[in-house]
Amino acid sequence: MEIRLPNQLEMKQIQRLTSQAIYEGTMGETKPNLEKAKEIVASLLKKGCSYFVAVEDQQVLGWILTGISKDSFTEKSVGFIYELFVKEEFRGKGIAKELMLYAKHSLNEEGLTEIRLNVYEGNPAIRLYEKLGFQVRSVSMALKLE
């Protein structure tokens, strides 16, 4: 398996599955249409975020979208994981872990000393994040109004 920046064809594959990635990442709460998903990604790419794709035998297995964000209180630059997705047929093989380790190395090379991410409660990826050393930093709560 190779992890690298995606080529143009691979970016098209990623774009086609981004709404599915968002849907799964939000635990089924949000599934934007293709145009909205492209708009979200375009905004992140415009601000300097990068995809890294896991490829084997010219097949996309999964990807991670990383970038730099600013802490709203301290203005400190921190690495941020915006999206992590592994195609269903390749899950359970350690690909997500390898993508996370690649992102960690890449963001560290940029001189960052912290990485953050947001994850919905109940997402199975939480176990991976904890194994990699991530700790709960804040809790977001919601109340549905009728």
Side-chain angles (χ1 to χ4, degrees), residues 80-118:
F80 204 88
I81 307 295
Y82 291 94
E83 184 175 300
L84 173 65
F85 185 78
V86 175
K87 290 181 177 178
E88 193 169 349
E89 62 268 30
F90 302 113
R91 294 179 186 170
K93 300 175 192 259
I95 296 165
K97 179 181 178 182
E98 291 302 316
L99 285 163
M100 288 293 293
L101 291 173
Y102 189 93
K104 179 182 173 184
H105 176 76
S106 174
L107 292 166
N108 193 353
E109 287 288 306
E110 291 190 45
L112 300 164
T113 58
E114 183 177 357
I115 300 173
R116 297 180 185 172
L117 56 81
N118 292 324

Side-chain angles (χ1 to χ4, degrees), residues 1-4 10 53-62 90 93 95:
M1 177 179 67
E2 176 186 20
I3 299 176
R4 57 172 169 69
E10 293 159 347
V53 63
V55 179
E56 190 169 79
D57 298 326
Q58 299 181 350
Q59 185 170 19
V60 172
L61 311 176
F90 302 113
K93 300 175 192 259
I95 296 165

